[in-house]
Amino acid sequence: MLAAFFGGWEIVLILAVVLILFGAKKLPELAKGLGTGIKEFKKATREVTDEIQNAGNESPAPKAPPANTTAQLQSQPQPQPKVPETKVI
């Protein structure tokens, strides 16, 4: 894409200006930082893309039945209430 806007001489001129501004010692550090930034950006985009694809492929979790239904409560034996004892004197 860059080659569509600039010819060979324009790119050489830009590189010469960058070399003059930053110096020969700083150029490797700048290139390393730029490379690290591009690598991190690609990693983040890949993770987001994978997350979106995995979210689309996951099936919804099955719904659990309710804990106590009326049919379950009726089928269980009911405890008998205690009748208070009365003593006759």
Side-chain angles (χ1 to χ4, degrees), residues 29 56 60:
E29 293 175 20

Side-chain angles (χ1 to χ4, degrees), residues 30-48:
L30 291 173
K32 183 179 178 182
L34 183 64
T36 304
I38 291 172
K39 188 167 91 173
E40 289 292 324
F41 180 75
K42 285 183 179 181
K43 180 182 174 186
T45 18
R46 189 177 326 111
E47 288 175 357
V48 169

Side-chain angles (χ1 to χ4, degrees), residues 2-70:
L2 187 64
F5 297 113
F6 301 112
W9 286 108
E10 287 87 0
I11 293 174
V12 170
L13 181 65
I14 291 171
L15 290 175
V17 170
V18 169
L19 181 63
I20 292 170
L21 288 177
F22 294 106
K25 292 184 179 180
K26 290 287 183 180
L27 282 181
E29 293 175 20
L30 291 173
K32 183 179 178 182
L34 183 64
T36 304
I38 291 172
K39 188 167 91 173
E40 289 292 324
F41 180 75
K42 285 183 179 181
K43 180 182 174 186
T45 18
R46 189 177 326 111
E47 288 175 357
V48 169
T49 305
D50 291 344
E51 185 72 27
I52 291 171
Q53 288 177 350
N54 290 338
N57 294 337
E58 290 179 3
S59 61
K63 293 183 179 179
N68 290 326
T69 60
T70 55

